Amino acid sequence: MKNFSKYFYVILFFLSINSIFSQKRNFEIKNGEFLLNGKSFVIHSGELHYPRVPMEYWKHRLQMMKAMGLNTVTTYVFWNYHEESPGKWNFSGEKDLKKFIKTAQEVGLYVIIRPGPYVCAEWEFGGYPWWLQKDKNLEIRTDNKAFLLQCEKYINELAKQIVPLQINNGGPVIMVQAENEFGSYVAQRKDIPLEQHKKYSHKIKDFLVRSGITVPFFTSDGSSLFKGGSIEGALPTANGESDIDVLKKNVNEYNGGKGPYMVAEYYPGWLDHWAEPFPKVSTEDVVKQTELYIKNGVSFNYYMVHGGTNFGFTSGANYDKDHDIQPDLTSYDYDAPISEAGWATPKYNALRNVFQKINAQNLPDVPQPVKIITIPEIKLSKNADLFDYIDLQKPVINNLPLTFEDLNIGNGYVLYRRKFDKAQNGKIEIKGLRDYAHLYINGRWVGEMNRYYKKYDLKINIKAGETLDILVENMGRINYGAEIVNNLKGIISPVRINGNEISGNWKMYPLPFNQFPKHNYKPKDIATRTPMICEGEFFLGETGDTFLDMRKFGKGVVFINGRNIGRYWSKVGPQLTLYIPGVWLKKGKNTIQIFEQINDNTNFTINSIDHPILDQLVK
């Protein structure tokens, strides 16, 4: 009888535990509130984009968020990050979205997904694949059949990653955004009727529903832009709104007179461009605004809580009346509470104190930062003139210069070459330059053109029989505003000399830098101002994060152990270092490769330091 009683209670215990775990978990919007498993819930979220952080560091950064006092992580999903070429999808390795979501759940964070398809985010082309522009019948971000077909394919592929991890399926995903900041686009594209705009945005939400996503939807716009951006059946949330009364008034107007109230993007920092000052937001202002949201029960998401890095060619660009393009930095530090390298900043510590006051239990300990190392002088022992490499490649020949898209490359560089039978003396104009170019005659540098400074011409003197080379760089496609529809790269209009169009026998050499160019390096003196490729080896007894010091270099890209770390432009700043994650270094032999475009002070050594330099304008 005693044994029966013991087993009875054991069975009863396991049945009760099983009952608890089998209870349906859910997240809903009801009676003007967010409800988590039936109880009122206020979202305290931070934005972190998994492609901007090495996957080995995902858990560390998420633990940093948890230790700060947040309960949710928000991430964009970048379409062009996962569809690597038409129909070729990659959600594995560092692109494993499921793993990121599951890691957040392990850490104890809920997840909000922002899938776009347009995301902005200072990311190349706002997340769109560059090759969409190859379809002449396709117009992005509108009620266009060809575009919507591609959007639906993307959403269906993405849903395979998200649906199994929704909260009602046992995962941590509690909300999904439909489109992104569409109200500002509607305001800028007045050439399209509002009804047509609305047809498009509502179809995006319909695709999300049909894909199997069942958690609540929301939109995200400036609070004065809800008319264009709101979508029926999705909660309107405000970006950057600091006034609680304004927030409530605008949400009420488009949400049946009630909440919940959420600021989907509150900015504790701001984005950065090359050649412009590094903007900062004071800790005092961020703390004050956070306390105001908390006092009023407003949900919010820090954009960004941790920015990370625009590795490779992933950074996008803006534009304004003074600059036809404003390319974004490689660093996406954002002056965020958690720095680019994952360090707790004074802003982080101040916010942690705020959240500790509203938590009955002690917050988790702040994780230790990743070890920092410095690398002494590395000799770049292998050096080559880029033109020597070009001369070994097979060109594409056409009557007129072709765009990057026509040449079937998305990023990197194209060298445009033409030999002249007759002398040309005067002004060369390339009004369709996208985005940055150096010009050479018979390998001799003659000048720079630069879309940032609206410099599209220069004086030139070409003798009969000489060859003109134009090395053009794509500095990142525009990711925000009406100009996003005009994002072809390379030379997209005729080249003119003294007003005459130069046609016939253009040779083009694509340099996508998907991999660093392989070359048989031979000893050779390289003339100043000649673009060069360099390579060196260095040996490490231990690994750790570090910051490559680019102050002796001009402009280009760096590869470490085969990975494109990103662009540098030390001639202008404000970023003068490149963040190297320790997990991408190796004990023993490592390889560094550099493409230096400007080369006005030939350097054959480089080193790293123990801190970033992100705020020093050079000119």
Side-chain angles (χ1 to χ4, degrees):
M1 186 69 178
K2 287 181 181 179
N3 285 341
F4 174 79
S5 176
K6 180 175 73 174
Y7 288 127
F8 173 78
Y9 286 114
V10 169
I11 292 168
L12 193 63
F13 171 77
F14 280 110
L15 283 174
S16 65
I17 291 293
N18 185 60
S19 174
I20 290 170
F21 281 102
S22 65
Q23 288 176 5
K24 198 76 171 177
R25 299 169 66 236
N26 63 59
F27 181 84
E28 59 184 333
I29 297 172
K30 191 174 182 181
N31 299 326
E33 290 187 292
F34 291 124
L35 296 179
L36 178 63
N37 302 326
K39 295 182 179 179
S40 181
F41 184 71
V42 179
I43 297 169
H44 295 156
S45 174
E47 188 112 359
L48 182 161
H49 303 146
Y50 57 97
R52 287 174 156 143
V53 179
M55 74 174 175
E56 294 90 342
Y57 291 165
W58 288 347
K59 189 168 187 178
H60 176 269
R61 305 303 197 258
L62 292 165
Q63 287 173 330
M64 290 286 292
M65 293 174 59
K66 185 71 174 178
M68 196 177 99
L70 301 180
N71 56 31
T72 304
V73 58
T74 297
T75 186
Y76 277 128
V77 179
F78 304 127
W79 176 358
N80 57 14
Y81 186 65
H82 292 289
E83 190 172 12
E84 297 173 336
S85 59
K88 183 186 175 185
W89 297 92
N90 187 352
F91 286 95
S92 62
E94 292 185 337
K95 302 188 179 189
D96 192 341
L97 174 57
K98 279 186 178 178
K99 181 176 180 179
F100 176 77
I101 295 171
K102 290 176 181 177
T103 304
Q105 187 172 28
E106 289 172 18
V107 170
L109 295 170
Y110 294 101
V111 177
I112 294 173
I113 300 290
R114 308 178 73 187
Y118 164 77
V119 296
C120 186
E122 293 70 63
W123 187 268
E124 154 78 11
F125 204 6
Y128 292 131
W130 64 267
W131 42 261
L132 290 180
Q133 299 174 108
K134 290 174 67 66
D135 184 345
K136 305 305 179 187
N137 296 314
L138 186 151
E139 183 179 352
I140 64 168
R141 225 175 175 197
T142 191
D143 186 22
N144 170 273
K145 183 177 180 181
F147 176 59
L148 287 168
L149 177 63
Q150 295 296 337
C151 288
E152 187 172 21
K153 289 178 182 177
Y154 159 62
I155 287 170
N156 287 339
E157 288 293 331
L158 179 62
K160 296 174 187 176
Q161 313 299 314
I162 296 173
V163 169
L165 295 173
Q166 294 180 117
I167 189 167
N168 50 306
N169 291 327
V173 176
I174 58 173
M175 283 206 302
V176 171
Q177 184 176 330
E179 238 284 345
N180 181 52
E181 298 179 317
F182 193 57
S184 60
Y185 191 68
V186 170
Q188 292 173 341
R189 291 296 307 273
K190 296 186 185 300
D191 56 310
I192 299 175
L194 179 60
E195 299 75 26
Q196 188 175 337
H197 278 305
K198 288 289 188 178
K199 278 184 182 179
Y200 158 70
S201 60
H202 281 72
K203 284 177 182 177
I204 293 299
K205 188 216 164 193
D206 290 344
F207 292 159
L208 291 164
V209 171
R210 291 208 297 266
S211 74
I213 295 172
T214 55
V215 293
F217 295 103
F218 69 102
T219 57
S220 179
D221 291 284
S223 59
S224 64
L225 299 167
F226 285 179
K227 182 178 180 179
S230 61
I231 296 175
E232 188 176 345
L235 173 72
T237 69
N239 288 353
E241 184 55 70
S242 58
D243 189 312
I244 305 300
D245 291 335
V246 171
L247 170 68
K248 290 183 176 181
K249 175 181 178 295
N250 286 290
V251 171
N252 288 345
E253 183 177 352
Y254 290 91
N255 196 47
K258 57 186 177 182
Y261 306 105
M262 182 170 179
V263 176
E265 291 187 6
Y266 168 58
Y267 308 111
W270 195 244
L271 61 95
D272 315 295
H273 299 133
W274 292 109
E276 297 176 13
F278 184 98
K280 294 187 178 181
V281 179
S282 76
T283 295
E284 292 75 18
D285 286 348
V286 176
V287 167
K288 182 179 178 181
Q289 189 63 45
T290 297
E291 289 175 333
L292 184 65
Y293 289 147
I294 291 172
K295 178 183 176 182
N296 287 275
V298 171
S299 293
F300 57 89
N301 172 50
Y302 292 116
Y303 190 101
M304 304 286 298
V305 74
H306 172 54
T309 310
N310 294 314
F311 296 113
F313 296 125
T314 59
S315 57
N318 290 301
Y319 60 93
D320 64 14
K321 62 182 177 61
D322 297 319
H323 307 96
D324 289 343
I325 194 167
Q326 296 169 287
D328 296 311
L329 301 187
T330 296
S331 171
Y332 201 59
D333 178 87
Y334 216 87
D335 190 32
I338 304 169
S339 77
E340 178 181 14
W343 301 345
T345 66
K347 196 175 289 181
Y348 175 96
N349 293 328
L351 290 171
R352 176 175 155 85
N353 289 336
V354 171
F355 287 108
Q356 183 60 81
K357 291 175 185 176
I358 62 171
N359 277 273
Q361 298 178 334
N362 287 335
L363 294 174
D365 292 339
V366 179
Q368 290 297 308
V370 176
K371 182 178 179 142
I372 297 293
I373 65 169
T374 58
I375 305 172
E377 190 172 82
I378 303 167
K379 186 175 182 182
L380 301 169
S381 56
K382 297 178 179 179
N383 303 281
D385 182 324
L386 181 72
F387 296 124
D388 288 346
Y389 172 79
I390 290 290
D391 290 340
L392 299 174
Q393 310 307 307
K394 184 177 179 180
V396 176
I397 302 174
N398 195 62
N399 188 50
L400 294 172
L402 297 171
T403 66
F404 277 47
E405 290 74 15
D406 288 333
L407 293 165
N408 208 36
I409 71 166
N411 304 105
Y413 308 81
V414 171
L415 186 132
Y416 296 83
R417 173 172 286 178
R418 192 181 189 280
K419 188 174 182 179
F420 287 82
D421 296 328
K422 296 179 181 179
Q424 302 282 338
N425 186 12
K427 184 171 73 172
I428 183 170
E429 289 182 294
I430 312 176
K431 291 184 177 179
L433 173 68
R434 304 291 185 270
D435 300 303
Y436 178 94
H438 283 279
L439 284 72
Y440 310 85
I441 297 174
N442 277 12
R444 183 185 75 258
W445 183 82
V446 293
E448 172 192 288
M449 292 186 187
N450 190 329
R451 192 177 173 197
Y452 177 81
Y453 295 111
K454 296 186 177 181
K455 181 174 172 53
Y456 296 110
D457 60 63
L458 57 85
K459 290 183 179 179
I460 202 164
N461 185 1
I462 305 173
K463 296 176 183 176
E466 290 188 324
T467 297
L468 171 69
D469 283 321
I470 308 169
L471 180 61
V472 177
E473 176 189 5
N474 165 11
M475 293 192 67
R477 288 180 178 82
I478 288 168
N479 57 259
Y480 178 79
E483 282 299 308
I484 196 171
V485 298
N486 300 313
N487 253 325
L488 298 178
K489 291 297 182 177
I491 295 178
I492 71 169
S493 70
V495 176
R496 298 182 185 276
I497 298 179
N498 295 329
N500 300 314
E501 182 176 331
I502 306 302
S503 61
N505 204 34
W506 279 97
K507 295 181 179 179
M508 284 145 284
Y509 300 83
L511 298 163
F513 275 81
N514 297 328
Q515 298 176 330
F516 198 82
K518 293 181 180 178
H519 189 60
N520 243 344
Y521 295 97
K522 295 179 181 179
K524 177 186 175 181
D525 290 332
I526 300 175
T528 300
R529 287 286 189 174
T530 300
M532 60 186 288
I533 52 177
C534 319
E535 186 174 311
E537 293 178 352
F538 60 98
F539 292 81
L540 295 176
E542 60 177 352
T543 61
D545 288 358
T546 194
F547 301 89
L548 207 60
D549 187 349
M550 304 309 301
R551 284 176 287 185
K552 294 187 291 185
F553 290 77
K555 193 177 197 304
V557 292
V558 175
F559 281 67
I560 297 285
N561 294 328
R563 291 179 181 269
N564 187 338
I565 298 300
R567 299 181 177 93
Y568 63 90
W569 194 3
S570 305
K571 282 296 173 187
V572 300
Q575 179 177 354
L576 302 178
T577 56
L578 286 173
Y579 170 59
I580 312 297
V583 290
W584 293 351
L585 296 170
K586 300 180 289 188
K587 286 186 178 180
K589 188 175 80 170
N590 294 262
T591 302
I592 181 170
Q593 297 163 307
I594 301 176
F595 172 46
E596 167 58 43
Q597 297 163 241
I598 296 178
N599 187 26
D600 62 353
N601 182 23
T602 305
N603 292 292
F604 297 104
T605 62
I606 193 168
N607 63 283
S608 79
I609 56 179
D610 63 2
H611 61 279
I613 303 174
L614 301 176
D615 57 359
Q616 291 187 18
L617 280 176
V618 177
K619 64 176 182 179

